[in-house]
Amino acid sequence: MTQSPVLSVTDLVVEIPTRRGVLRPVDSVSFDIAAGEVLGVVGESGAGKSMTGSAVIGLIDPPGRIASGEVRLNGARIDNLRPSEMRRIRGKRIGMVFQDPMASLNPLLTVGDQLEETIQVHLGLRRAEARKRAIAALEEVGIPAADRRIDSYPHEFSGGMRQRVVIALALAAEPEMVIADEPTTALDVSVQAQIVALLRRLCRERGAAVMLITHDMGVIAETADRVAVMYAGRVVEIGPVREVVGAPSHPYSVGLMGATPSTSGDAASERLKQIPGAMPRLLSIPSGCAFHPRCPRAFDTCDREAPPLLRSGSSLAACWLCSPDHQHLVQSATLPEAIE
Ligand code: SF4
């Protein structure tokens, strides 16, 4: 990456103290996202991907907290800011798109009121100018007759149109980055592709970095430039999308990517079913490589030592099979098409 990243996350650890011990839903996570780049963060439920997103935007529910590590936005630390300072960053410098559009919209205000307020507060424009800008923002996300629909309430839009409004709202203050957490999961399959394409195009045009959190490999394959695969709170593989999706290195990624296509349209959950067992509970993360009880390639080192991220082509993978010391194990067996 030649230019300095918009978002830089280094050795991030999130801890939640409980009566039975301290949970670590995010454990030593590091990644960068450049301007105009989409980083897809993928994994099964409980992998730590949404918690990582929440940590970046300072929305971890107490008693959870960032225990160590750094989050930098265009070079400046944002993980140690006061709640009031972080509130100013959310909405202005970091836009957010969540699974449920109604979580981002006030049902009692028209979409115009909400857009105009964001534009006035963050860009310092007068009312009339903010309204013009709000109409242009709605046109840009593909709302037909935007000059009339601007005075409609959120419930008067379909699910897909509502998510378009949320994207307009997330981008209204010209943020440096956008966090999208399962932005299409609640939508009809027919509109999912349009929404992710829209998000990608608008962010690329504006040079905004995107952290796209999803369990849906189809969304990742169509949208992301790079992919981070998470398992049990850690990044287990990170690299260019064509490599991680097309020729994954980590056995968990292999299980996520390669499975029988589903006719139901929910290919991701079909893929996830291909991996035997379940994501470990945070109180009982297995020793060594956390994936070893489910891994068809596990060997004697795996339950004793946790693998660091090791170079594999253009990617990094936390798997001992990528270590030069274990190449004889790679050569003596072929990676399965999928974990079965
Ligand atoms: Fe499987 Fe061992 Fe690699 Fe973990 S380190 S993914 S258990 S082969």
Side-chain angles (χ1 to χ4, degrees):
M1 199 176 293
T2 47
Q3 62 195 131
S4 49
V6 172
L7 181 75
S8 185
V9 173
T10 311
D11 291 329
L12 185 69
V13 175
V14 174
E15 289 185 345
I16 305 173
T18 71
R19 266 181 292 170
R20 294 177 60 201
V22 176
L23 310 182
R24 274 197 170 189
V26 178
D27 194 358
S28 308
V29 165
S30 298
F31 59 83
D32 288 341
I33 315 180
E37 183 182 45
V38 179
L39 176 76
V41 181
V42 71
E44 290 164 282
S45 167
K49 49 194 196 306
S50 288
M51 189 66 90
T52 303
S54 299
V56 167
I57 52 181
L59 284 181
I60 294 180
D61 290 330
R65 64 185 187 99
I66 294 178
S68 58
E70 287 187 358
V71 180
R72 288 180 183 268
L73 184 62
N74 275 316
R77 277 187 76 169
I78 59 168
D79 56 276
N80 53 4
L81 298 179
R82 284 197 297 273
S84 58
E85 292 172 311
M86 203 57 215
R87 256 197 304 280
R88 277 201 291 278
I89 285 185
R90 287 193 299 270
K92 165 65 186 140
R93 298 183 62 194
I94 303 180
M96 293 166 293
V97 180
F98 297 118
Q99 177 173 339
D100 176 10
M102 290 311 276
S104 310
L105 297 169
N106 183 336
L108 303 176
L109 297 176
T110 66
V111 301
D113 287 339
Q114 297 177 61
L115 273 166
E116 286 163 37
E117 192 198 332
T118 299
I119 292 166
Q120 281 182 281
V121 168
H122 292 302
L123 302 183
L125 297 181
R126 288 174 191 280
R127 186 100 207 255
E129 197 52 39
R131 185 169 172 89
K132 267 195 222 155
R133 194 110 168 203
I135 292 170
L138 290 176
E139 282 169 349
E140 215 172 0
V141 296
I143 303 286
D147 54 342
R148 279 191 290 110
R149 298 306 305 276
I150 192 168
D151 295 317
S152 303
Y153 289 87
H155 74 267
E156 297 176 277
F157 291 83
S158 67
M161 286 294 161
R162 228 177 270 151
Q163 199 61 307
R164 286 175 188 264
V165 171
V166 171
I167 292 173
L169 199 56
L171 295 174
E174 299 172 357
E176 292 142 72
M177 77 162 293
V178 171
I179 292 198
D181 191 348
E182 302 284 3
T184 61
T185 306
L187 303 178
D188 284 353
V189 174
S190 57
V191 299
Q192 287 180 354
Q194 296 166 15
I195 295 295
V196 290
L198 175 72
L199 187 64
R200 181 190 165 97
R201 176 174 63 79
L202 293 180
C203 290
R204 186 158 285 180
E205 282 170 10
R206 289 165 165 74
V210 180
M211 180 176 173
L212 174 65
I213 299 164
T214 178
H215 68 282
D216 189 332
M217 285 315 307
V219 167
I220 292 282
E222 282 162 30
T223 317
D225 299 297
R226 286 188 305 129
V227 187
V229 179
M230 287 193 72
Y231 189 80
R234 288 177 174 257
V235 172
V236 294
E237 182 162 3
I238 183 164
V241 69
R242 61 176 186 287
E243 206 167 284
V244 178
V245 172
S249 298
H250 195 285
Y252 178 62
S253 313
V254 173
L256 282 183
M257 310 305 161
T260 325
S262 158
T263 50
S264 67
D266 191 7
S269 51
E270 287 299 316
R271 287 186 182 99
L272 298 178
K273 280 185 216 147
Q274 299 279 318
I275 304 176
M279 181 74 63
R281 289 174 185 279
L282 290 172
L283 273 171
S284 50
I285 303 279
S287 60
C289 171
F291 187 56
H292 84 259
R294 303 175 71 186
C295 181
R297 305 291 310 278
F299 58 100
D300 55 2
T301 310
C302 301
D303 64 351
R304 283 186 277 114
E305 291 175 51
L309 282 166
L310 299 163
R311 175 65 55 196
S312 174
S314 308
S315 305
L316 295 171
C319 174
W320 288 122
L321 295 173
C322 300
S323 160
D325 299 342
H326 295 93
Q327 281 308 301
H328 61 286
L329 291 167
V330 179
Q331 280 144 20
S332 64
T334 47
L335 273 171
E337 285 289 305
I339 297 169
E340 295 179 309

